[in-house]
Amino acid sequence: EALAKARATLDRVAGCINEASGLLWDCCNPHNGIGPGVDWWWSGYLVKGCHCAYTNGSAVSCLLQAYAWLQNKTGEPPQAWLTTACRVLDTMCRLQEPSGNFGYTYRTDRPEMVDARGYAGVWFVPALAQAFELTENNDFLVAAEKAFAYYRGFVQNLCCWGTPMDTKWAPDQEGVLGFIRAAVLLHRLTGNDDYLTALGEGAEYEYLWCYGFRARPE
């Protein structure tokens, strides 16, 4: 029953592509009788009327993780999960800045970045790595490695900020989880041991979060 409910949820997510923007509607269920759309509890506080990197990036990451799990488990994963995730990632590859940044918010009427600030786009990196593993599309790997190098600077500075939907621009702990997963996947795919070093950097940030200040233990 739990698996059936999870599958139904992911089916709904995979069916919520916005054709105009090439991204997922951030809220799949109708809100106040309207939807799917982009506005939910964060509307009016953090962003309004925009697609968000955090919701889109984490959603496609979940779709691809579940697809890979079912592929290994049953050999018959839902093709729509992979197709939708790759459509979103194709859009993000086109929007990626030369620095590797994926930005924070995007227009709903066309594929265009609205706000480039923050760390939330890190969630596209493990999704891109997973998509490369599943499709062997080298564009996904190139985009993932470029983005990883950009977001690594936040981690090395012990200051990942602007990730979840309820912290405004404060430093946060959530985003580094996407970085950690990306480091594991990229090491598995490339064999480059520098990703293991980056994994250690991500672990330092994650484990130190409870202290509330930028310091590393001996």
Side-chain angles (χ1 to χ4, degrees), residues 2-114:
L3 287 173
K5 288 181 177 179
R7 183 165 181 154
T9 298
L10 292 171
D11 283 342
R12 191 162 64 249
V13 172
C16 272
I17 194 84
N18 176 2
E19 298 292 343
S21 66
L23 297 171
L24 293 170
W25 291 113
D26 301 61
C27 178
C28 294
N29 289 330
H31 177 48
N32 293 332
I34 302 172
V38 293
D39 295 326
W40 193 237
W41 56 264
W42 55 82
S43 303
Y45 168 62
L46 194 60
V47 292
K48 189 172 180 64
C50 301
H51 291 299
C52 296
Y54 184 81
T55 45
N56 264 263
S58 55
V60 293
S61 182
C62 287
L63 280 174
L64 291 172
Q65 281 183 256
Y67 180 94
W69 185 82
L70 275 180
Q71 186 177 61
N72 292 331
K73 199 80 170 175
T74 68
E76 297 180 349
Q79 187 61 34
W81 296 1
L82 178 63
T83 300
T84 295
C86 287
R87 285 188 63 187
V88 172
L89 295 175
D90 283 336
T91 299
M92 294 313 303
C93 286
R94 293 194 296 273
L95 294 179
Q96 188 175 30
E97 294 186 329
S99 65
N101 180 32
F102 284 123
Y104 183 68
T105 55
Y106 319 93
R107 294 179 63 105
T108 60
D109 60 346
R110 61 179 178 269
E112 182 179 301
M113 195 181 297
V114 174

Side-chain angles (χ1 to χ4, degrees), residues 131-175:
F132 169 73
E133 188 171 42
L134 292 167
T135 67
E136 298 184 351
N137 181 341
N138 198 59
D139 289 345
F140 292 151
L141 181 60
V142 170
E145 293 195 290
K146 189 175 181 180
F148 188 88
Y150 172 78
Y151 292 112
R152 188 176 183 178
F154 289 75
V155 177
Q156 290 174 327
N157 290 332
L158 297 181
C159 190
C160 302
W161 55 274
T163 309
M165 305 302 298
D166 56 358
T167 64
K168 203 74 172 181
W169 298 112
D172 66 77
Q173 170 265 352
E174 269 179 64

